[in-house]
Amino acid sequence: MAKNTEDKVVMTREGYDKLKAELVALRGDGRAEIASKLEEARAFGDLSENAEYHAAKEEQEKLENRVLQLEYQLSKAQIVEAHDIDTSSVGVGTTVTIKDLDLKKTFVYTLVGTEEADIKENRISAASPVGKSVMGKKAGEEVIVRTPRGVRHLKVMKIQLK
């Protein structure tokens, strides 16, 4: 483990592979598509008043910024492998069953790195309010967490690998 883990981007193997695939696609097809749009826009003539050209340049800038962001994250990645995950407490890569004691509802979330979070897939960031509050907790422990929807009283019911 590196001495300075503050500049590490913690993620699961699945998340790393997904970001790597996105980077490859952006570098290949994404750049080729933008180059084609720029070439087409140049054909319209005067670039100073060419809306298509300016839109394509803006799109190119967004793509290149995303490429830089992905390259940075992947270069700083600290991958959490499934075989290294300890399920005795909540951590990145674990799937945790949480009971909201006020709502009397149960939720199942997988804690992941920030870039991998997707609430539709019940994948929450370990840096989110709920993620931070349950990190390091063991089954049976209770936490109080302040969320955008108000204060929640949660109990960790079960910790497992997905």
Side-chain angles (χ1 to χ4, degrees):
M1 178 101 78
K3 289 179 186 172
N4 184 6
T5 58
E6 287 137 21
D7 64 346
K8 293 291 181 194
V9 178
V10 179
M11 62 181 67
T12 62
R13 169 63 60 193
E14 180 184 356
Y16 180 88
D17 291 345
K18 188 175 178 182
L19 293 183
K20 186 84 170 167
E22 180 183 352
L23 180 60
V24 168
L26 289 177
R27 282 180 174 162
D29 295 342
R31 283 181 173 159
E33 185 180 322
I34 300 276
S36 174
K37 286 180 182 179
L38 285 169
E39 190 60 39
E40 188 178 318
R42 280 190 191 103
F44 292 130
D46 183 13
L47 298 181
S48 65
E49 295 181 21
N50 186 327
E52 287 85 3
Y53 179 78
H54 293 291
K57 285 300 278 182
E58 203 171 290
E59 197 175 331
Q60 181 183 38
E61 185 178 347
K62 285 180 185 175
L63 180 137
E64 292 304 329
N65 284 337
R66 180 65 178 155
V67 166
L68 288 174
Q69 179 186 22
L70 289 170
E71 287 173 342
Y72 175 79
Q73 289 176 325
L74 292 170
S75 74
K76 299 291 184 182
Q78 178 180 344
I79 301 168
V80 178
E81 298 286 1
H83 57 80
D84 293 333
I85 296 173
D86 176 9
T87 57
S88 66
S89 65
V90 178
V92 173
T94 60
T95 298
V96 60
T97 302
I98 302 170
K99 183 168 187 169
D100 186 315
L101 300 174
D102 299 321
L103 298 176
K104 307 279 191 262
K105 286 187 176 181
T106 301
F107 301 92
V108 178
Y109 297 121
T110 299
L111 266 71
V112 295
T114 306
E115 189 64 32
E116 302 173 72
D118 184 349
I119 196 63
K120 291 179 202 143
E121 293 183 24
N122 293 331
R123 297 167 63 86
I124 63 169
S125 168
S128 69
V130 172
K132 279 190 217 176
S133 71
V134 298
M135 282 292 285
K137 300 294 186 250
K138 297 183 181 313
E141 288 191 66
E142 295 181 16
V143 295
I144 295 175
V145 60
R146 191 176 305 277
T147 70
R149 293 185 178 172
V151 176
R152 293 171 65 187
H153 187 201
L154 308 175
K155 182 174 183 176
V156 176
M157 305 301 289
K158 183 174 165 186
I159 305 163
Q160 62 192 30
L161 291 179
K162 190 173 181 182

